[in-house]
Amino acid sequence: MKFLQRLLRTEQRSIGGDLETVRVFGLDSVELPAVTGESAMTVPAVAAAIGFLSAALAGLPIHVFNVDGEDESVRDRGDFAYLLNQAPNEEWSSYAARRYFWSQVFGKAGRGLLYIERTGPDRVAGFWPMNAEVTTVRRVNGRKEYVCEGKVYQAREVIDVPFLLKADQLSTYSPIWIARKSIALAIAMGDYAAKFFAGGGVPPLSLTGPMPAGPDAIRRAQADIRNAIDAARRKGEAVFPIPPGYELKTVGFDPDKGQMTDARRFQVEELARTWNLPPVFLQDLTNGSFANTEQQDLFLVKHNICGWAKAFEDEVNLKCFAASRGRRYAEHNLDALQRGDLKSRMEALARGVQTSLLTPNEARSIDNRAPLDGGDKLYMQGATVPLGQYQAGLPSKPQQGDPEDAEN
């Protein structure tokens, strides 16, 4: 064969001593792949983290309350509540706009922006999502400004939730930038696995023996080896011919020996830390059990969802209700996270009614049920009484010497 004829006209060379040979085989490149917003989304754990958090926060109802003269909060169902919960403008639904907003916070931009459209000093007419990736935040004469697509917006006109502010109080660290090395490693392992299995499960090989002279001859020898492997794979043959006196040795490592499965699983845990997510929400149940999975569910709400919900509420209250001095405010309803757990939801509502925390109609309204006559009274379950207090199903007067007598 041609490959054997070329090899017979060569001299013995050492790959380690021939820098040109190293470059031909690409062994001098050890840099991890560059990470962009698009390439990061090709890592399933990154896409899952951004998708999960943005969907969870966008799906939360957000209510508006007015505080009356007795410091009692009354829910407002007016136009502003409609903008937050139904349609912030004529093009976007509330869920779609808020999910885009949160995907910007947890994605490449590292911050979410909403433009507040006003028809008067205190009247909000709509909210419009802004592309944070093309928005510049600057400070002019001590005032913060946002420049997006040639337009300048003042700070009071923009709902702004950054992932993590830098020291200049203007720029933000994005989670993708923070985790760029972990993401690059995950991409590299994915690429290696794809090439490994696309090559029929054959790891990188080196040919030992009398090597060809010159880089062109080395390239031809490399091509002949590759063609021989490809031909054997196409024919389903387990072996392919090697000239006498030569030997193929593995240069790389196979996924099993390199513990690639464990390494890729560890990358899921590493990325989960960046978004402060329990691994079970990235579909990693390796160390999950019935008990600790439930605790991770509570961790998610207490230490992640609550914080981001508060950040959004504070921006709305500052930019839209600052003039009310706290007499009007917006607040998420975190009870919506219990919608998938009907048993716990019903038990919580029943407990609220039985302890006079909720009226029956208030409990029904949480489930969007119509009120009933007589359902606006508070009730207290009174099953625990002194022995002998009840006779024939009716409460009797306290006997002399009873604790109630002494207190009265």
Side-chain angles (χ1 to χ4, degrees), residues 184-200:
L185 183 56
I187 293 173
M189 285 192 291
D191 291 344
Y192 179 85
K195 292 177 181 178
F196 178 83
F197 289 106

Side-chain angles (χ1 to χ4, degrees), residues 5 46 51 55 106-107 118 124 146 153 184 214 243 255 265 305 312 342 365:
Q5 293 174 352
V46 173
F106 302 120
R118 287 185 169 93
V124 176
Y146 298 81
Y153 303 90
R265 185 180 293 119
I305 297 295
F312 187 83
L342 181 62
S365 69

Side-chain angles (χ1 to χ4, degrees), residues 202-223:
V202 179
L205 302 171
S206 66
L207 184 70
T208 60
M211 298 304 295
D216 292 337
I218 292 177
R219 290 190 183 93
R220 289 192 296 270
Q222 181 184 9

Side-chain angles (χ1 to χ4, degrees), residues 96-117:
R98 285 195 283 159
R99 185 166 192 188
Y100 175 82
F101 174 91
W102 288 114
S103 68
Q104 295 261 294
V105 175
F106 302 120
K108 176 186 175 183
R111 79 188 321 148
L113 302 173
L114 285 175
Y115 165 63
I116 306 171
E117 180 185 7

Side-chain angles (χ1 to χ4, degrees), residues 22-33:
V22 172
R23 293 195 182 98
V24 168
F25 284 94
L27 300 179
D28 60 336
S29 178
V30 293
E31 292 184 1
L32 289 171

